[in-house]
Amino acid sequence: MNDDQTNADPEQRARVVVVGPDGVAVETDATEASGERPVTEMVEQPAKVMRVGSMIRQLLEEVRAAPLDEKSRARLKEIHKSSIKELEDGLAPELVEELERLSLPFAEDEVPSEAELRVAQAQLVGWLEGLFHGIQTTLFAQQMAARAQLEQMRRALPPGMIPPGQMPGQVPSGQQDAQRASGPYL
Protein backbone atom coordinates (compact mmCIF):
# COMPACT_ATOMS: atom_id res chain seq x y z
CA MET A 1 0.00 0.00 0.00
CA ASN A 2 1.20 3.49 -0.57
CA ASP A 3 1.55 6.08 2.17
CA ASP A 4 -1.42 8.09 0.87
CA GLN A 5 -3.79 5.29 1.78
CA THR A 6 -2.22 4.25 5.06
CA ASN A 7 -1.96 7.85 6.31
CA ALA A 8 -5.41 8.85 5.06
CA ASP A 9 -7.32 11.65 6.68
CA PRO A 10 -9.47 10.23 9.51
CA GLU A 11 -12.55 11.55 7.69
CA GLN A 12 -11.75 9.27 4.72
CA ARG A 13 -11.18 6.09 6.74
CA ALA A 14 -13.95 3.62 7.43
CA ARG A 15 -15.79 4.57 10.58
CA VAL A 16 -17.54 2.24 12.98
CA VAL A 17 -20.10 3.21 15.59
CA VAL A 18 -19.86 1.12 18.76
CA VAL A 19 -22.65 1.30 21.33
CA GLY A 20 -21.35 0.79 24.85
CA PRO A 21 -23.19 -0.87 27.75
CA ASP A 22 -24.38 2.58 28.87
CA GLY A 23 -26.15 3.07 25.51
CA VAL A 24 -23.80 5.82 24.35
CA ALA A 25 -22.63 5.52 20.75
CA VAL A 26 -18.93 6.13 20.13
CA GLU A 27 -17.60 6.52 16.60
CA THR A 28 -14.17 5.03 15.96
CA ASP A 29 -11.84 4.01 13.14
CA ALA A 30 -12.67 0.56 11.73
CA THR A 31 -9.12 -0.68 12.36
CA GLU A 32 -9.32 0.43 16.00
CA ALA A 33 -12.61 -1.43 16.44
CA SER A 34 -11.18 -4.72 15.17
CA GLY A 35 -7.94 -4.38 17.12
CA GLU A 36 -5.71 -5.30 14.17
CA ARG A 37 -4.40 -3.89 10.90
CA PRO A 38 -6.26 -4.72 7.70
CA VAL A 39 -4.70 -7.66 5.85
CA THR A 40 -4.14 -5.45 2.79
CA GLU A 41 -1.64 -3.44 4.85
CA MET A 42 0.14 -6.59 6.08
CA VAL A 43 1.05 -7.83 2.60
CA GLU A 44 3.95 -5.57 1.77
CA GLN A 45 4.72 -7.12 -1.63
CA PRO A 46 1.43 -8.49 -3.03
CA ALA A 47 2.78 -9.31 -6.50
CA LYS A 48 5.58 -11.40 -5.01
CA VAL A 49 3.21 -13.23 -2.65
CA MET A 50 0.86 -13.98 -5.58
CA ARG A 51 3.73 -15.33 -7.73
CA VAL A 52 5.12 -17.55 -4.99
CA GLY A 53 1.60 -18.70 -4.09
CA SER A 54 0.89 -19.70 -7.70
CA MET A 55 4.17 -21.60 -7.86
CA ILE A 56 3.39 -23.45 -4.63
CA ARG A 57 -0.08 -24.41 -5.87
CA GLN A 58 1.40 -25.77 -9.12
CA LEU A 59 4.05 -27.62 -7.14
CA LEU A 60 1.36 -29.28 -5.03
CA GLU A 61 -0.39 -30.44 -8.20
CA GLU A 62 2.88 -31.95 -9.45
CA VAL A 63 3.51 -33.70 -6.13
CA ARG A 64 0.04 -35.26 -6.30
CA ALA A 65 0.44 -36.35 -9.92
CA ALA A 66 3.64 -38.40 -9.86
CA PRO A 67 5.56 -40.69 -7.53
CA LEU A 68 8.74 -39.06 -6.23
CA ASP A 69 12.15 -40.61 -5.75
CA GLU A 70 14.50 -39.61 -2.95
CA LYS A 71 16.30 -36.90 -4.96
CA SER A 72 13.06 -35.22 -6.03
CA ARG A 73 11.73 -35.30 -2.46
CA ALA A 74 14.97 -33.70 -1.22
CA ARG A 75 14.64 -31.04 -3.93
CA LEU A 76 10.99 -30.36 -3.02
CA LYS A 77 12.00 -29.97 0.62
CA GLU A 78 14.46 -27.23 -0.38
CA ILE A 79 11.89 -25.57 -2.66
CA HIS A 80 9.37 -25.59 0.19
CA LYS A 81 11.85 -23.94 2.59
CA SER A 82 12.91 -21.30 0.05
CA SER A 83 9.26 -20.62 -0.87
CA ILE A 84 8.41 -19.88 2.76
CA LYS A 85 11.46 -17.61 3.00
CA GLU A 86 10.38 -15.72 -0.15
CA LEU A 87 6.84 -15.36 1.19
CA GLU A 88 8.15 -14.01 4.49
CA ASP A 89 10.04 -11.28 2.61
CA GLY A 90 6.72 -9.98 1.24
CA LEU A 91 4.71 -10.08 4.48
CA ALA A 92 4.41 -7.95 7.60
CA PRO A 93 5.89 -9.38 10.82
CA GLU A 94 2.45 -10.45 12.12
CA LEU A 95 1.85 -12.67 9.09
CA VAL A 96 5.42 -13.99 9.12
CA GLU A 97 4.92 -15.07 12.74
CA GLU A 98 1.63 -16.77 11.87
CA LEU A 99 3.17 -18.56 8.88
CA GLU A 100 6.10 -19.80 10.97
CA ARG A 101 3.74 -21.07 13.68
CA LEU A 102 1.61 -22.97 11.18
CA SER A 103 4.15 -24.35 8.70
CA LEU A 104 5.48 -27.84 9.27
CA PRO A 105 9.26 -27.91 9.64
CA PHE A 106 11.17 -30.77 8.07
CA ALA A 107 14.01 -32.53 9.89
CA GLU A 108 17.33 -31.09 8.68
CA ASP A 109 19.07 -34.43 8.11
CA GLU A 110 16.12 -36.43 6.71
CA VAL A 111 14.41 -36.55 3.34
CA PRO A 112 10.65 -36.18 3.87
CA SER A 113 8.23 -38.80 2.59
CA GLU A 114 5.79 -38.03 -0.24
CA ALA A 115 2.98 -37.82 2.30
CA GLU A 116 4.90 -35.30 4.45
CA LEU A 117 5.59 -33.17 1.38
CA ARG A 118 1.95 -33.29 0.30
CA VAL A 119 0.72 -32.29 3.75
CA ALA A 120 3.24 -29.42 4.04
CA GLN A 121 2.45 -28.12 0.55
CA ALA A 122 -1.32 -28.44 1.04
CA GLN A 123 -1.06 -26.62 4.35
CA LEU A 124 0.90 -23.79 2.74
CA VAL A 125 -1.54 -23.54 -0.18
CA GLY A 126 -4.46 -23.46 2.26
CA TRP A 127 -2.84 -20.69 4.29
CA LEU A 128 -2.19 -18.66 1.13
CA GLU A 129 -5.77 -19.12 -0.06
CA GLY A 130 -6.99 -17.88 3.32
CA LEU A 131 -4.70 -14.87 2.99
CA PHE A 132 -6.00 -14.12 -0.51
CA HIS A 133 -9.62 -14.44 0.64
CA GLY A 134 -8.85 -12.07 3.52
CA ILE A 135 -7.41 -9.54 1.09
CA GLN A 136 -10.46 -9.81 -1.18
CA THR A 137 -12.83 -9.41 1.76
CA THR A 138 -10.96 -6.37 3.04
CA LEU A 139 -10.96 -4.74 -0.40
CA PHE A 140 -14.69 -5.43 -0.79
CA ALA A 141 -15.41 -3.92 2.63
CA GLN A 142 -13.34 -0.84 1.76
CA GLN A 143 -15.23 -0.47 -1.52
CA MET A 144 -18.60 -0.72 0.27
CA ALA A 145 -17.49 1.85 2.87
CA ALA A 146 -16.38 4.23 0.12
CA ARG A 147 -19.74 3.81 -1.65
CA ALA A 148 -21.64 4.50 1.54
CA GLN A 149 -19.53 7.58 2.20
CA LEU A 150 -20.11 8.85 -1.35
CA GLU A 151 -23.84 8.31 -0.97
CA GLN A 152 -23.81 10.25 2.33
CA MET A 153 -21.97 13.10 0.64
CA ARG A 154 -24.52 13.19 -2.20
CA ARG A 155 -27.42 13.29 0.25
CA ALA A 156 -25.75 16.14 2.16
CA LEU A 157 -25.61 18.39 -0.91
CA PRO A 158 -28.06 21.28 -0.89
CA PRO A 159 -30.98 20.94 -3.32
CA GLY A 160 -30.11 22.02 -6.85
CA MET A 161 -26.38 21.50 -6.47
CA ILE A 162 -24.82 19.30 -9.16
CA PRO A 163 -22.42 16.60 -7.94
CA PRO A 164 -18.95 16.52 -9.57
CA GLY A 165 -18.87 14.47 -12.75
CA GLN A 166 -22.59 14.90 -13.42
CA MET A 167 -23.74 17.07 -16.30
CA PRO A 168 -26.58 19.59 -15.90
CA GLY A 169 -29.89 17.92 -16.73
CA GLN A 170 -28.40 14.44 -16.27
CA VAL A 171 -30.31 12.15 -13.94
CA PRO A 172 -28.09 10.64 -11.19
CA SER A 173 -27.17 7.03 -11.99
CA GLY A 174 -29.14 5.54 -9.08
CA GLN A 175 -32.27 7.41 -10.19
CA GLN A 176 -31.90 6.32 -13.85
CA ASP A 177 -32.45 2.70 -12.87
CA ALA A 178 -35.47 3.62 -10.75
CA GLN A 179 -37.00 5.62 -13.61
CA ARG A 180 -36.45 2.77 -16.09
CA ALA A 181 -37.94 0.24 -13.72
CA SER A 182 -41.05 2.30 -13.03
CA GLY A 183 -42.06 2.77 -16.69
CA PRO A 184 -44.54 0.62 -18.63
CA TYR A 185 -43.30 -2.48 -20.38
CA LEU A 186 -43.71 -2.64 -24.17
Side-chain angles (χ1 to χ4, degrees):
M1 291 230 116
N2 63 26
D3 286 341
D4 295 320
Q5 291 171 330
T6 56
N7 296 329
D9 182 32
E11 295 297 319
Q12 295 176 338
R13 288 189 174 173
R15 306 300 285 171
V16 174
V17 177
V18 179
V19 179
D22 57 355
V24 176
V26 178
E27 190 171 347
T28 183
D29 191 331
T31 56
E32 292 170 9
S34 68
E36 58 184 49
R37 289 190 325 182
V39 70
T40 52
E41 291 179 13
M42 291 193 285
V43 179
E44 296 167 355
Q45 298 177 33
K48 182 176 187 173
V49 171
M50 293 294 286
R51 284 191 309 272
V52 173
S54 295
M55 181 201 70
I56 292 168
R57 174 179 281 150
Q58 184 62 39
L59 194 59
L60 179 60
E61 292 301 317
E62 294 297 323
V63 170
R64 287 182 187 161
L68 303 170
D69 62 6
E70 188 172 337
K71 283 185 179 181
S72 59
R73 291 194 321 267
R75 177 69 182 128
L76 280 172
K77 173 184 171 184
E78 293 305 313
I79 291 171
H80 183 80
K81 287 170 74 174
S82 66
S83 297
I84 289 177
K85 176 67 180 132
E86 289 295 323
L87 281 172
E88 289 174 347
D89 290 344
L91 300 172
E94 300 95 326
L95 289 176
V96 169
E97 183 182 308
E98 180 180 346
L99 180 58
E100 287 176 351
R101 255 191 347 263
L102 296 174
S103 61
L104 297 174
F106 295 117
E108 284 297 319
D109 56 344
E110 293 179 22
V111 176
S113 68
E114 283 185 48
E116 288 174 314
L117 283 169
R118 284 188 187 122
V119 168
Q121 290 295 100
Q123 182 182 31
L124 189 53
V125 168
W127 185 84
L128 285 167
E129 287 179 358
L131 178 67
F132 298 151
H133 287 296
I135 290 169
Q136 288 175 332
T137 301
T138 301
L139 292 175
F140 181 74
Q142 288 174 347
Q143 182 183 20
M144 295 284 79
R147 272 191 190 162
Q149 185 178 22
L150 180 61
E151 193 56 40
Q152 279 183 329
M153 289 169 38
R154 282 188 177 153
R155 280 191 231 119
L157 290 174
M161 187 154 181
I162 301 169
Q166 186 174 328
M167 302 298 292
Q170 179 184 10
V171 179
S173 62
Q175 292 176 4
Q176 285 176 342
D177 295 336
Q179 285 180 347
R180 271 192 235 127
S182 64
Y185 291 99
L186 298 177

